Amino acid sequence: MFPSRNLLHNRRYLSQKITSCSFGSSLRPIAKFDHPVNRDSKCSTLELPERENYFGIKSHNIVKLPERLKEAVDKILGSCQDGNLINNSEKLNHHLIFKKPPLTHSQLKEIEVSCTERVSATHPFPDTSFMSVDDEKRLSNSLNNKIRRNIRQTAYKWKPVVYNQSMAMAYLVARLAPDFASLYKIFCEIRSRDPGFQPQNLFDFGSGVGTALWSAKSCWGMEKFKEVFCVDSSVEMNNLAITLIQGGVWPNQKGEPRAMGEDGTEGSSTIKGLYFRQFMPASPAVKYDLVVCAHTLLELPSAELRLQMALSLWRKSQGYLVFVEHGSRAAYEVIMEIRDFLLSLSDGGKEANLQGHVFSPCPNEARCPRLADTTPCNFEAKYESLVKKQQVLKERFSYVVLKKGPRSKSDPQWPRVVRPVLTRSGHTICRLCTNEGKLEEIVVTRSKNSKVENTIVRKTKWGDLLPVQLSRHETQPDHSPDDKENLKLS
Ligand SMILES: C[S@@+](CC[C@H](N)C(=O)[O-])C[C@H]1O[C@@H](n2cnc3c(N)ncnc32)[C@H](O)[C@@H]1O
């Protein structure tokens, strides 16, 4: 299960940062729209909505939970006696959104050095030649205490969330709907770009309340899955997931089938081929079409364990491997760490089964240009609040989908829209990440582009692929001043 030293020391994923990463506005590329409609000058009344998938434009609708899931949630919440549930869920949500990975030894060392320097600069050690030994000791202790306090205040204190029954319920309330929405969007892109892919089995690591299972089911249809294997170290999470599947009826009320016991041995549910376990299976022999690790990377106690887990999951995959986290800078960096680590194994030819490429969001395998920036690469999904019905909220998420095998030669590698599209009266600005791993912006104008091209960019949203091929051509920026302001904010 654990990677060899060689694999873990393949440090391409820690390679040098690139120097420039802002959207290249001085030498904007030329965008040639990649669609046959574009060549048909008579086609001016394009029915875009019907052709959305063709254009790389995805659904921008509000993602709703399936009715059966909503009913099960209502039943569970209706019978919940915990008066602090909403309060706990808000606190947990806040904790998870701002969560960072644990500090590495070298980060901790850096903090120790800088705190020591800071305290020493503000409290210079006096001449001790006239002091007694005891006084000198007292002074030194006081200084060390100050340094220790400073380190405690500066260093991020990572701790895992213990998912007991009350935390599992809080998680359900806080995170089911947004986690479902982001996963559903990711899965829908796989379905629309790879219509021949019909997953027969799913492996979910850190499965929680079973969100990935419900999203995959909504996307591809549950009857198509022959096996779903969920791993979660929390017995309470597993029991809650099983309860949701059973329509909100707790396993012990139903009598049979029984949910997971404290020893983690029993992990059945009413659905044939659905398994819940507390630990990863020891053997990587059984492979899965779809492997998911959602919102769990930051729960692992070290970078080494994250990479080991990512490698185990990559070995388990025979189709797509999905990692998704909240859209914070810290979570995005962890996603990139995993992406670059797995890609570094992919091109080394060490193990044939480790070959793969990035399916989404990046149209490339290059180092992410955002790593040299301060903003994360993230996307947005709209969802209905579970607590305040009808209220529409937005979830920011960072993700990567890796696919086994080489990239298909027919993949046009269209650039990804990585920030909101700016629509103005005469022109539209799209900020893109290209197949060369560069951040670029293009401007589509009413005067220079066709009606169809203008329609496409206006329908395009943050997170979509833009069906264009870019080529470099010297032009002058033609933004109005307020556009420049907007671009600075990106
Ligand atoms: C934040 S929840 C994510 C739940 C789910 N994937 C979702 O997106 O809704 C993280 C889950 O990972 C589980 N977890 C943490 N460390 C784990 C480990 N080492 N092995 C298996 N599960 C783990 C926790 O019990 C928790 O249920």
Side-chain angles (χ1 to χ4, degrees):
M1 170 185 160
F2 294 113
S4 67
R5 280 184 79 79
N6 263 357
L7 292 181
L8 276 181
H9 286 98
N10 185 338
R11 297 258 165 186
R12 203 197 78 170
Y13 62 97
L14 291 177
S15 64
Q16 78 293 349
K17 288 190 169 193
I18 63 163
T19 47
S20 156
C21 67
S22 54
F23 290 98
S25 60
S26 57
L27 280 179
R28 213 173 279 123
I30 294 292
K32 187 168 177 297
F33 279 75
D34 206 3
H35 193 271
V37 160
N38 191 36
R39 292 191 279 277
D40 180 0
S41 55
K42 288 185 220 108
C43 181
S44 56
T45 55
L46 179 68
E47 296 282 337
L48 252 183
E50 285 170 29
R51 300 176 183 226
E52 280 188 350
N53 286 340
Y54 199 91
F55 284 102
I57 298 170
K58 290 180 275 157
S59 165
H60 307 125
N61 296 338
I62 300 156
V63 180
K64 292 185 178 162
L65 295 180
E67 280 309 314
R68 262 196 58 210
L69 179 56
K70 267 202 254 180
E71 281 164 21
V73 170
D74 286 345
K75 205 161 183 175
I76 290 172
L77 296 184
S79 64
C80 179
Q81 312 276 314
D82 185 352
N84 283 330
L85 181 59
I86 299 296
N87 204 3
N88 285 346
S89 73
E90 280 166 6
K91 275 194 201 147
L92 178 62
N93 197 32
H94 186 270
H95 170 82
L96 294 174
I97 284 174
F98 292 98
K99 189 153 188 154
K100 292 180 184 173
L103 292 171
T104 61
H105 289 303
S106 61
Q107 285 169 328
L108 208 51
K109 269 263 153 308
E110 270 174 36
I111 291 173
E112 277 169 18
V113 170
S114 72
C115 287
T116 309
E117 281 171 4
R118 196 164 46 231
V119 173
S120 308
T122 47
H123 300 82
F125 209 72
D127 180 0
T128 53
S129 42
F130 300 106
M131 279 186 189
S132 69
V133 176
D134 278 354
D135 281 350
E136 191 182 337
K137 213 168 167 184
R138 226 170 283 131
L139 190 67
S140 160
N141 282 346
S142 140
L143 212 61
N144 284 339
N145 285 342
K146 280 200 179 80
I147 293 171
R148 269 199 291 274
R149 209 173 312 127
N150 215 287
I151 293 171
R152 266 203 308 278
Q153 283 162 358
T154 313
Y156 174 71
K157 282 174 278 308
W158 176 90
K159 57 178 194 303
V161 179
V162 178
Y163 284 102
N164 53 24
Q165 196 172 357
S166 121
M167 274 297 122
M169 287 292 286
Y171 193 85
L172 175 81
V173 172
R175 302 295 315 162
L176 174 68
D179 293 356
F180 179 93
S182 50
L183 275 171
Y184 184 72
K185 277 198 99 165
I186 294 166
F187 291 160
C188 284
E189 181 176 358
I190 299 178
R191 189 188 58 187
S192 74
R193 283 175 55 201
D194 189 356
F197 175 72
Q198 172 59 68
Q200 306 265 312
N201 44 42
L202 162 71
F203 187 94
D204 185 8
F205 176 73
S207 46
V209 294
T211 320
L213 154 73
W214 284 95
S215 311
K217 174 185 163 173
S218 299
C219 186
W220 284 285
M222 190 58 197
E223 59 291 350
K224 305 279 171 44
F225 285 92
K226 294 207 173 84
E227 184 181 324
V228 176
F229 200 108
C230 297
V231 176
D232 199 294
S233 51
S234 156
V235 170
E236 281 75 15
M237 274 292 206
N238 288 329
N239 282 339
L240 186 52
I242 293 171
T243 305
L244 285 168
I245 291 162
Q246 293 183 163
V249 180
W250 289 94
N252 56 4
Q253 290 167 17
K254 212 175 176 191
E256 122 15 81
R258 288 173 48 227
M260 187 173 271
E262 282 305 317
D263 59 357
T265 47
E266 196 91 30
S268 61
S269 71
T270 45
I271 298 175
K272 199 167 156 258
L274 177 55
Y275 303 97
F276 285 88
R277 295 284 183 272
Q278 273 185 287
F279 305 101
M280 282 286 278
S283 159
V286 185
K287 307 253 184 278
Y288 294 81
D289 298 333
L290 184 62
V291 178
V292 179
C293 177
H295 306 280
T296 300
L297 289 171
L298 298 187
E299 292 299 318
L300 301 178
S302 72
E304 280 233 314
L305 276 173
R306 280 199 302 276
L307 299 182
Q308 284 168 359
M309 191 46 69
L311 180 56
S312 300
L313 297 177
W314 192 217
R315 284 194 170 122
K316 284 222 150 291
S317 158
Q318 60 183 3
Y320 290 91
L321 171 59
V322 178
F323 291 98
V324 56
E325 292 292 332
H326 184 71
S328 66
R329 177 73 196 181
Y332 150 76
E333 283 180 4
V334 166
I335 292 271
M336 286 303 111
E337 167 198 66
I338 299 293
R339 170 199 186 267
D340 291 352
F341 171 63
L342 293 180
L343 287 179
S344 75
L345 307 179
S346 176
D347 61 13
K350 293 188 181 71
E351 216 180 289
N353 181 41
L354 300 181
Q355 307 290 308
H357 65 279
V358 184
F359 176 82
S360 64
C362 337
N364 60 68
E365 275 74 52
R367 192 172 167 80
C368 178
R370 283 283 188 207
L371 283 172
D373 207 334
T374 49
T375 48
C377 179
N378 56 22
F379 301 93
E380 212 169 71
K382 286 189 211 139
Y383 65 97
E384 254 179 20
S385 162
L386 201 65
V387 184
K388 294 180 188 144
K389 307 274 177 205
Q390 310 292 327
Q391 190 183 9
V392 175
L393 301 170
K394 287 176 185 167
E395 164 74 353
R396 287 266 169 101
F397 62 98
S398 286
Y399 77 104
V400 68
V401 180
L402 297 162
K403 188 182 180 186
K404 276 282 161 82
R407 188 183 286 279
S408 156
K409 288 208 166 59
S410 61
D411 182 350
Q413 289 182 262
W414 288 333
R416 175 84 53 182
V417 180
V418 288
R419 280 292 173 262
V421 172
L422 303 175
T423 307
R424 299 287 175 266
S425 57
H427 64 280
T428 309
I429 303 163
C430 291
R431 280 80 59 84
L432 307 168
C433 185
T434 73
N435 59 2
E436 292 176 339
K438 289 184 182 149
L439 294 173
E440 301 274 17
E441 63 173 52
I442 63 159
V443 181
V444 174
T445 61
R446 288 226 174 115
S447 55
K448 289 185 192 147
N449 296 82
S450 71
K451 194 168 174 182
V452 172
E453 291 169 353
N454 274 279
T455 313
I456 291 172
V457 287
R458 275 159 196 272
K459 292 256 179 188
T460 295
K461 294 266 182 327
W462 178 12
D464 289 341
L465 293 172
L466 191 68
V468 294
Q469 299 297 338
L470 302 178
S471 59
R472 183 73 39 207
H473 174 94
E474 297 215 356
T475 59
Q476 287 306 308
D478 51 4
H479 293 314
S480 59
D482 59 319
D483 289 337
K484 282 187 190 145
E485 269 317 297
N486 281 327
L487 290 171
K488 268 191 227 149
L489 296 174
S490 65

